[in-house]
Amino acid sequence: MSTRKRLSFNVKLNTTGDTITIHISDPSNLQADNLALATWGSSEVLANTLHRLPTPDFAGTGAIAGLGSVLELGAGTGLVGLSAAAIWRVWVTLTDLEPILPNIKANIELNRAVIRGYGGSAACGMLDWARPDLLTFFVPEHESQLTADASGEWKPWKFRVVLAADTVYSEEHPELLTKAVTARLERSPKARFIMCYPLRIGYLDHIRDLWERLELAGLGCMQEGRESLHEEWDEDTPYEWCVWRWRGDI
Ligand SMILES: C[S@@+](CC[C@H](N)C(=O)[O-])C[C@H]1O[C@@H](n2cnc3c(N)ncnc32)[C@H](O)[C@@H]1O
């Protein structure tokens, strides 16, 4: 079985060696785009890097019930978001395009009890990077487009932390991702955008473009690193992760 179709992943919880096993449902039972039903190397790298990063300051977040403080964009099978929920003990909202959501929901259910044991929680919703102001919850009891706040004003909910793994693989993605991040990342010095991508030759221009756009939008990279996947993946490509925050007075 290819590693991308693996059905469980051990993720490091801390630097003392504790791990959590995240289970992924068998995608062959669901009909959707295969690309998103695989788990990509960036997800495993980022999930296993989170415990080494300074824990984001979540104080004062989560004011709207059920939305939490962490958003994952292009979650795919949800490995990163589910790991973040356990590592940081927070509520994470995993988002992707509509056809991918049944699989994400299945993965949330598979891992709900163990994540809850760590004090975390997860929900999923539809968020297309082309329309980031619309976030539609998939779970019926949370179904809402969140188009307005209590005063009726158009004000999409913003998240303290936004995560994205392997979401830069076409020339439209830098513009779309910048739009999604700037629409959904809280405007505060505590806010962080954390992403990971493979450094494949064919993607380097898109990654450069994304960095330029994020900088133009007012974000600055504060931490970055490179990792390789373990042998099981049979892949030499290096992976880069980076942490961004808003620059200057916000
Ligand atoms: C290569 S997969 C990565 C999935 C997962 N993050 C991982 O690393 O395993 C890219 C993901 O981005 C999602 N995606 C692509 N375009 C999107 C868009 N315009 N809006 C939201 N999600 C999108 C795809 O559906 C897919 O789940």
Side-chain angles (χ1 to χ4, degrees), residues 10-248:
N10 288 329
V11 173
K12 294 185 187 116
L13 282 170
N14 50 42
T15 49
T16 54
D18 297 324
T19 59
I20 180 177
T21 303
I22 300 289
H23 297 284
I24 300 299
S25 59
D26 184 352
S28 57
N29 296 332
L30 294 154
Q31 293 188 334
D33 184 336
N34 278 338
L35 179 78
L37 295 181
T39 303
W40 295 82
S42 305
S43 264
E44 188 161 43
V45 168
L46 189 53
N48 279 289
T49 298
L50 293 180
H51 74 283
R52 289 196 276 123
L53 304 177
T55 303
D57 180 349
F58 290 113
T61 58
I64 295 184
L67 270 174
S69 33
V70 180
L71 172 75
E72 183 178 7
L73 297 171
T77 59
L79 177 62
V80 170
L82 293 168
S83 303
I87 295 167
W88 292 333
R89 300 167 190 269
V90 288
W91 187 304
V92 179
T93 298
L94 291 81
T95 64
D96 209 302
L97 297 172
E98 192 145 20
I100 314 305
L101 298 184
N103 193 46
I104 298 183
K105 184 169 183 275
N107 291 337
I108 291 174
E109 294 313 321
L110 267 181
N111 295 282
R112 187 178 291 292
V114 68
I115 287 172
R116 191 173 286 152
Y118 286 98
S121 190
C124 71
M126 202 279 289
L127 190 152
D128 181 343
W129 310 332
R131 287 293 320 270
D133 46 339
L134 280 184
L135 169 54
T136 309
F137 272 95
F138 185 72
V139 187
E141 61 265 36
H142 291 303
E143 202 164 326
S144 151
Q145 295 202 335
L146 299 170
T147 50
D149 67 7
S151 63
E153 196 184 331
W154 175 274
K155 197 170 161 189
W157 177 247
K158 292 185 193 288
F159 295 79
R160 179 69 50 90
V161 174
V162 175
L163 299 167
D166 211 334
T167 50
V168 204
Y169 50 91
S170 91
E171 64 181 3
E172 305 89 56
H173 287 162
E175 185 181 357
L176 292 178
L177 272 176
T178 306
K179 194 169 161 176
V181 172
T182 51
R184 289 294 176 176
L185 185 66
E186 183 187 271
R187 298 260 164 183
S188 100
K190 295 176 178 172
R192 299 288 181 265
F193 169 49
I194 306 175
M195 67 173 164
C196 184
Y197 39 76
L199 290 170
R200 294 206 184 93
I201 304 283
Y203 296 173
L204 295 181
D205 283 347
H206 306 327
I207 292 164
R208 230 170 269 128
D209 186 13
L210 176 61
W211 272 62
E212 283 172 14
R213 287 176 187 271
L214 290 172
E215 282 167 358
L216 271 175
L219 287 150
C221 177
M222 56 181 285
Q223 200 179 356
E224 61 188 296
R226 288 191 185 177
E227 313 286 337
S228 299
L229 285 166
H230 52 75
E231 292 168 359
E232 207 180 311
W233 284 78
D234 198 18
E235 197 185 305
D236 294 333
T237 315
Y239 284 78
E240 186 167 77
W241 56 265
C242 42
V243 182
W244 295 71
R245 68 176 167 201
W246 295 109
R247 288 192 319 267

